[in-house]
């Protein structure tokens, strides 16, 4: 069209050989992906998998996002749960429109500060296992991203922007950095090997369930600089040092209990 967007209305099939989708301008796939051979996305622009492509997508191979953006707007935007997805350093997976993706995903990098995984709008869910292959940034806009399964790889994870990241399982992280917004934990090892977390003004660390943190858990201290500790549900026991920054304060919130 006049804006330079290339729209494909036919079925895109990965046949015998690896299929390369090069997006130097925006590419929109309206009908869906099929086949079981790998698809590799190159080019610096985005491939958009719209909601109309959901029913027609039966792709079960590996998706490699080597450059640019894979803009997921449908539950099958990565193919079926049989396949897997690899996000290369510098590339980005964007999530929109309240979707649930079931692929296992390997990811690294921060896509120039935009997040290697970026929750752009609505409440989205990643149901597959996420493996970090290097230090990684999750960018969550003023929205919500739920990671239902564990995060593997023992790498550092940084959460940026003002939205909520929900971690439902124990995770293998070497360190977790909260650089904006909120993170909600459902287990005591949701932040992996992280020993201390800083919660600054405008940020929130939330606890979901009856959790106990003490000298025997990985998380052994908190530093609060005007941020909020929140009991989302249940009763969480914080038997660890909570350090306040100079001339700082601490806020408490939530329907649950903190003791």
């Amino acid at each position: 069209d006049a804006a330079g967007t290339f729209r494909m209305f036919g079925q895109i099939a990965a046949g015998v050989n690896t299929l390369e989708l090069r997006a130097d301008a925006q590419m929109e796939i309206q009908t869906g992906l099929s086949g079981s051979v790998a698809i590799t996305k190159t080019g610096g622009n985005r491939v958009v998998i719209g909601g109309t492509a959901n029913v027609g997508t039966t792709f079960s191979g590996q998706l490699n996002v080597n450059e640019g953006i894979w803009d997921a707007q449908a539950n099958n935007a990565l193919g079926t749960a049989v396949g897997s997805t690899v996000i290369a350093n510098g590339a980005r997976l964007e999530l929109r429109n309240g979707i649930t993706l079931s692929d296992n995903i390997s990811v690294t990098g921060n896509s120039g500060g935009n997040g290697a995984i970026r929750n752009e709008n609505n409440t989205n869910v990643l149901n597959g296992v996420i493996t970090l292959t290097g230090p990684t940034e999750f960018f969550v806009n003023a929205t919500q991203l739920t990671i239902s399964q564990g995060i593997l790889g023992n790498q550092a994870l940084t959460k940026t922007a003002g939205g909520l990241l929900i971690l439902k399982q124990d995770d293998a992280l070497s360190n977790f950095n909260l650089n904006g917004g909120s993170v909600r934990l459902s287990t005591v090892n949701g932040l992996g090997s992280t020993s201390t977390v800083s919660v600054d003004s405008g940020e929130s660390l939330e606890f979901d369930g009856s959790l106990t943190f003490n000298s025997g858990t990985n998380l052994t201290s908190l530093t609060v600089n005007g941020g909020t500790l929140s009991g989302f549900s249940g009763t969480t026991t914080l038997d660890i040092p909570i350090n306040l920054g100079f001339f700082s304060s601490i806020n408490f919130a939530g329907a649950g209990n903190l003791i």
Side-chain angles (χ1 to χ4, degrees):
D1 63 12
T5 296
F6 178 54
R7 293 183 172 89
M8 291 185 287
F9 293 94
Q11 189 81 9
I12 308 301
V16 177
N17 299 311
T18 297
L19 172 65
E20 179 181 350
L21 296 176
R22 183 172 183 87
D24 292 317
Q26 180 167 300
M27 179 187 300
E28 295 182 3
I29 298 175
Q30 301 290 333
T31 306
L33 304 171
S34 63
S36 58
V37 179
I39 295 176
T40 297
K41 191 270 178 204
T42 60
N45 216 299
R46 69 179 61 227
V47 170
V48 180
I49 309 295
T52 58
N54 203 47
V55 174
T57 293
T58 59
F59 174 66
S60 60
Q62 179 169 300
L63 172 64
N64 302 302
V65 184
N66 286 357
E67 298 176 300
I69 303 161
W70 193 268
D71 191 337
Q73 302 184 18
N75 291 332
N76 286 337
L78 305 181
T80 68
V82 175
S84 61
T85 297
V86 178
I87 311 298
N89 192 7
R92 179 161 84 247
L93 171 65
E94 286 192 3
L95 312 174
R96 301 175 189 267
N97 299 347
I99 61 175
T100 298
L101 301 179
S102 298
D103 262 30
N104 294 331
I105 299 172
S106 296
V107 61
T108 187
N110 66 5
S111 189
N114 294 298
I117 294 180
R118 182 183 178 102
N119 204 81
E120 191 61 30
N121 66 26
N122 297 107
T123 296
N124 300 295
V125 179
L126 296 180
N127 267 345
V129 175
I130 312 300
T131 300
L132 308 186
T133 55
T136 303
E137 177 187 329
F138 288 0
F139 186 107
V140 184
N141 264 325
T143 53
Q144 180 175 304
L145 173 62
T146 298
I147 310 296
S148 296
Q149 302 299 320
I151 300 176
L152 306 179
N154 200 35
Q155 300 288 335
L157 175 62
T158 298
K159 188 270 174 198
T160 59
L164 169 63
L165 175 64
I166 299 176
L167 302 175
K168 301 293 287 186
Q169 306 294 335
D170 290 345
D171 296 307
L173 301 174
S174 63
N175 194 48
F176 177 84
N177 299 300
L178 180 58
N179 286 349
S182 305
V183 61
R184 181 182 298 162
L185 306 180
S186 297
T187 73
V188 294
N189 291 319
L191 300 182
S193 300
T194 304
S195 61
T196 187
V197 173
S198 292
V199 186
D200 296 329
S201 180
E203 299 174 349
S204 176
L205 177 60
E206 302 182 4
F207 305 96
D208 182 10
S210 296
L211 311 178
T212 298
F213 297 87
N214 53 38
S215 60
T217 57
N218 290 329
L219 186 64
T220 54
S221 69
L222 300 172
T223 298
V224 181
N225 296 294
T228 299
L229 301 181
S230 177
F232 179 75
S233 73
T235 298
T236 293
T237 301
L238 296 174
D239 189 16
I240 57 176
I242 300 176
N243 305 302
L244 292 180
F246 289 113
F247 304 108
S248 188
S249 63
I250 184 171
N251 304 300
F252 295 97
N257 301 309
L258 295 176
I259 59 175

